[in-house]
Coordinates of all heavy atoms in Angstrom, one line a residue:
G201 N 1.5 3.6 -13.9 CA 0.6 3.5 -12.7 C 0.6 4.8 -12.0 O 1.7 5.4 -11.7
A202 N -0.6 5.4 -11.8 CA -0.7 6.7 -11.1 C -1.5 6.6 -9.9 O -2.5 7.4 -9.7 CB -1.2 7.7 -12.2
S203 N -1.3 5.6 -9.0 CA -1.9 5.6 -7.7 C -0.9 6.0 -6.7 O 0.0 6.9 -7.0 CB -2.5 4.2 -7.5 OG -3.2 4.2 -6.3
F204 N -1.0 5.5 -5.5 CA -0.1 5.9 -4.4 C 1.4 5.9 -4.8 O 2.1 6.9 -4.6 CB -0.3 5.1 -3.2 CG -1.7 5.0 -2.7 CD1 -2.5 3.9 -2.8 CD2 -2.3 6.2 -2.2 CE1 -3.8 3.8 -2.4 CE2 -3.7 6.1 -1.8 CZ -4.4 5.0 -1.9
A205 N 1.8 4.7 -5.4 CA 3.3 4.6 -5.6 C 3.7 5.5 -6.8 O 4.7 6.2 -6.7 CB 3.6 3.1 -6.0
D224 N -1.8 5.8 -16.8 CA -2.6 4.9 -16.0 C -3.8 4.6 -16.9 O -4.2 5.4 -17.7 CB -3.1 5.5 -14.7 CG -3.6 4.5 -13.7 OD1 -4.7 3.9 -13.9 OD2 -2.9 4.3 -12.7
R225 N -4.4 3.4 -16.7 CA -5.6 3.1 -17.6 C -6.8 4.0 -17.2 O -7.7 4.1 -18.0 CB -5.9 1.6 -17.5 CG -6.3 1.1 -16.2 CD -6.5 -0.4 -16.2 NE -6.4 -0.9 -14.8 CZ -6.6 -2.1 -14.5 NH1 -6.8 -3.0 -15.4 NH2 -6.5 -2.5 -13.2
Y226 N -6.8 4.5 -15.9 CA -7.9 5.4 -15.5 C -7.3 6.8 -15.2 O -6.1 7.0 -15.0 CB -8.5 4.9 -14.2 CG -9.0 3.5 -14.3 CD1 -8.5 2.4 -13.6 CD2 -10.0 3.1 -15.3 CE1 -9.0 1.1 -13.7 CE2 -10.5 1.9 -15.4 CZ -10.0 0.8 -14.6 OH -10.5 -0.4 -14.7
T233 N -8.7 2.1 -4.6 CA -8.2 0.8 -4.5 C -8.1 0.3 -3.1 O -7.5 -0.8 -2.9 CB -6.8 0.8 -5.2 OG1 -6.0 1.9 -4.6 CG2 -6.8 0.9 -6.7
S234 N -8.6 1.0 -2.1 CA -8.4 0.5 -0.8 C -9.4 1.1 0.2 O -10.2 2.0 -0.2 CB -7.0 0.7 -0.3 OG -6.8 2.1 0.1
A235 N -9.3 0.7 1.5 CA -10.2 1.3 2.5 C -9.7 2.7 2.8 O -10.3 3.5 3.6 CB -10.2 0.4 3.7
C236 N -8.5 3.1 2.3 CA -7.9 4.4 2.5 C -7.8 4.9 3.9 O -8.3 5.9 4.3 CB -8.7 5.4 1.6 SG -8.5 5.1 -0.1
A237 N -7.1 4.1 4.7 CA -6.7 4.5 6.0 C -5.1 4.5 6.1 O -4.5 3.5 5.6 CB -7.2 3.5 7.1
A299 N -3.7 5.5 -20.5 CA -3.3 4.4 -21.5 C -3.2 3.1 -20.7 O -2.8 3.1 -19.6 CB -1.9 4.7 -22.1
K300 N -3.6 2.0 -21.4 CA -3.5 0.7 -20.8 C -2.2 0.0 -21.2 O -1.9 -0.1 -22.4 CB -4.7 -0.1 -21.2 CG -4.8 -1.5 -20.6 CD -6.0 -2.2 -21.0 CE -6.0 -3.7 -20.7 NZ -5.0 -4.4 -21.6
V301 N -1.5 -0.4 -20.2 CA -0.2 -1.1 -20.4 C -0.5 -2.5 -20.8 O -1.2 -3.2 -20.1 CB 0.7 -1.1 -19.2 CG1 1.9 -1.9 -19.4 CG2 1.1 0.4 -18.9
A324 N 4.6 0.9 -11.4 CA 3.8 1.2 -10.2 C 2.4 0.7 -10.5 O 1.4 1.4 -10.2 CB 3.9 2.7 -9.8
L325 N 2.3 -0.4 -11.1 CA 1.0 -0.9 -11.7 C 0.3 -1.8 -10.7 O -0.8 -2.4 -11.1 CB 1.3 -1.6 -13.0 CG 1.7 -0.8 -14.2 CD1 2.3 -1.6 -15.3 CD2 0.6 0.1 -14.7
G326 N 0.8 -2.0 -9.5 CA 0.1 -2.9 -8.6 C 0.5 -4.3 -8.6 O 1.5 -4.7 -9.2
M330 N 3.2 -6.1 -13.8 CA 3.1 -6.4 -15.2 C 4.3 -6.3 -16.1 O 4.4 -6.9 -17.1 CB 2.1 -5.3 -15.8 CG 0.7 -5.7 -15.6 SD -0.3 -5.0 -16.9 CE 0.2 -5.8 -18.4
G346 N -8.8 -9.0 -0.7 CA -9.6 -8.2 0.1 C -10.8 -7.7 -0.7 O -10.7 -7.5 -1.9
L347 N -11.9 -7.6 0.1 CA -13.1 -7.1 -0.6 C -13.8 -6.2 0.5 O -13.8 -6.5 1.7 CB -14.0 -8.2 -1.0 CG -15.4 -7.9 -1.6 CD1 -15.1 -7.3 -3.0 CD2 -16.3 -9.1 -1.7
E348 N -14.4 -5.1 0.0 CA -15.1 -4.3 1.0 C -16.3 -3.6 0.3 O -16.5 -3.6 -0.9 CB -14.2 -3.2 1.6 CG -13.6 -2.2 0.6 CD -12.7 -1.2 1.3 OE1 -12.2 -1.5 2.4 OE2 -12.4 -0.2 0.6
W373 N -12.8 -5.6 8.9 CA -12.7 -4.3 9.3 C -13.9 -3.4 9.1 O -14.7 -3.7 8.2 CB -11.4 -3.6 8.7 CG -11.5 -3.4 7.2 CD1 -12.1 -2.4 6.5 CD2 -11.1 -4.3 6.2 NE1 -12.0 -2.5 5.1 CE2 -11.4 -3.7 4.9 CE3 -10.4 -5.5 6.2 CZ2 -11.0 -4.3 3.7 CZ3 -10.1 -6.2 5.0 CH2 -10.4 -5.5 3.8
F375 N -14.0 0.8 8.8 CA -13.3 2.1 8.8 C -14.3 3.2 8.4 O -14.6 3.4 7.2 CB -12.1 2.1 7.8 CG -11.0 1.1 8.2 CD1 -9.9 1.0 7.3 CD2 -11.0 0.4 9.3 CE1 -8.9 0.1 7.5 CE2 -9.9 -0.5 9.6 CZ -8.9 -0.6 8.7
Q413 N -15.7 -3.0 -3.7 CA -14.4 -2.9 -4.4 C -13.5 -3.8 -3.7 O -13.5 -4.0 -2.5 CB -13.9 -1.4 -4.4 CG -13.4 -0.9 -3.1 CD -11.9 -1.0 -3.0 OE1 -11.2 -1.2 -4.0 NE2 -11.3 -0.9 -1.8
N415 N -9.6 -6.3 -4.3 CA -8.3 -6.5 -5.1 C -7.5 -7.6 -4.5 O -7.8 -8.0 -3.3 CB -7.6 -5.2 -5.2 CG -6.7 -5.1 -6.5 OD1 -6.5 -6.1 -7.2 ND2 -6.2 -3.9 -6.7
I417 N -3.8 -8.6 -2.8 CA -2.9 -7.8 -2.0 C -1.6 -8.7 -1.8 O -1.7 -9.7 -1.2 CB -3.4 -7.5 -0.6 CG1 -4.9 -6.9 -0.8 CG2 -2.5 -6.5 0.1 CD1 -5.6 -6.8 0.6
V432 N 7.7 -0.5 -7.7 CA 7.4 0.3 -6.5 C 6.0 0.0 -6.0 O 5.1 -0.2 -6.8 CB 7.4 1.8 -6.8 CG1 7.3 2.6 -5.5 CG2 8.7 2.2 -7.5
G433 N 5.8 -0.1 -4.7 CA 4.4 -0.3 -4.2 C 4.1 -1.8 -4.3 O 4.9 -2.7 -4.2
D434 N 2.8 -2.1 -4.6 CA 2.4 -3.5 -4.6 C 3.1 -4.3 -5.7 O 3.3 -5.5 -5.5 CB 0.9 -3.5 -4.9 CG 0.0 -3.4 -3.7 OD1 0.6 -3.1 -2.6 OD2 -1.2 -3.5 -3.8
C439 N 3.5 -3.9 0.2 CA 2.4 -3.9 1.2 C 2.8 -4.7 2.4 O 3.4 -5.8 2.2 CB 1.2 -4.5 0.5 SG -0.3 -4.3 1.4
A444 N -1.7 -5.7 5.9 CA -2.1 -5.3 4.6 C -2.1 -3.8 4.4 O -2.9 -3.3 3.6 CB -3.4 -6.0 4.1
E445 N -1.2 -3.2 5.1 CA -1.1 -1.7 5.0 C -0.1 -1.5 3.9 O 1.1 -1.7 4.0 CB -0.6 -1.1 6.3 CG -1.1 0.3 6.5 CD -0.2 1.1 7.5 OE1 0.3 0.5 8.5 OE2 0.0 2.3 7.2
G446 N -0.6 -0.9 2.8 CA 0.3 -0.7 1.6 C 0.3 0.7 1.1 O 1.0 1.0 0.1
I447 N -0.4 1.6 1.7 CA -0.4 3.0 1.2 C 0.9 3.8 1.6 O 1.6 4.3 0.8 CB -1.7 3.8 1.7 CG1 -2.9 3.0 1.1 CG2 -1.6 5.2 1.2 CD1 -4.2 3.5 1.6
A450 N 3.9 2.4 -0.1 CA 3.9 2.9 -1.5 C 4.5 4.3 -1.6 O 5.3 4.6 -2.4 CB 2.5 2.8 -2.1
Ligands
LIG92 C1 -10.0 -4.1 0.0 C2 -8.7 -3.4 0.3 C3 -8.5 -2.5 1.3 C4 -7.3 -2.0 1.6 N1 -7.2 -1.1 2.6 C5 -6.0 -0.5 2.9 C6 -5.9 0.6 3.8 O1 -6.9 1.0 4.4 N2 -4.7 1.1 4.1 C7 -3.6 0.7 3.5 O2 -2.5 1.2 3.8 N3 -3.6 -0.3 2.5 C8 -4.8 -0.8 2.2 N4 -4.9 -1.8 1.2 C9 -3.7 -2.1 0.4 C10 -3.4 -0.9 -0.6 O3 -4.6 -0.7 -1.4 C11 -2.3 -1.2 -1.6 O4 -1.2 -1.7 -1.0 C12 -2.0 0.1 -2.4 O5 -3.1 0.5 -3.2 C13 -0.7 -0.1 -3.3 O6 -0.6 1.1 -4.0 P1 0.1 1.0 -5.5 O7 0.1 2.4 -6.0 O8 1.3 0.2 -5.4 O9 -0.9 0.1 -6.4 P2 -2.4 0.4 -6.8 O10 -3.1 1.3 -5.8 O11 -3.0 -1.0 -7.0 O12 -2.3 1.2 -8.1 C14 -2.0 0.6 -9.4 C15 -2.3 1.6 -10.5 O13 -2.0 1.0 -11.7 C16 -3.0 1.1 -12.6 N5 -3.0 0.0 -13.5 C17 -3.0 -1.4 -13.2 N6 -2.9 -2.1 -14.3 C18 -2.7 -1.2 -15.4 C19 -2.5 -1.4 -16.8 N7 -2.5 -2.6 -17.3 N8 -2.4 -0.3 -17.5 C20 -2.4 1.0 -16.9 N9 -2.6 1.2 -15.6 C21 -2.8 0.1 -14.9 C22 -4.3 1.1 -11.8 O14 -5.4 1.7 -12.5 C23 -3.8 1.9 -10.5 O15 -4.1 3.2 -10.6 C24 -6.1 -2.3 0.8 C25 -6.3 -3.3 -0.2 C26 -7.5 -3.8 -0.5 C27 -7.7 -4.8 -1.7

Side-chain angles (χ1 to χ4, degrees):
S203 183
F204 305 111
D224 198 292
R225 61 184 161 179
Y226 302 119
T233 49
S234 77
C236 293
K300 181 175 165 290
V301 172
L325 292 165
M330 274 209 69
L347 180 70
E348 60 183 19
W373 63 87
F375 293 176
Q413 75 96 17
N415 208 348
I417 312 169
V432 189
D434 277 7
C439 191
E445 210 205 321
I447 297 170

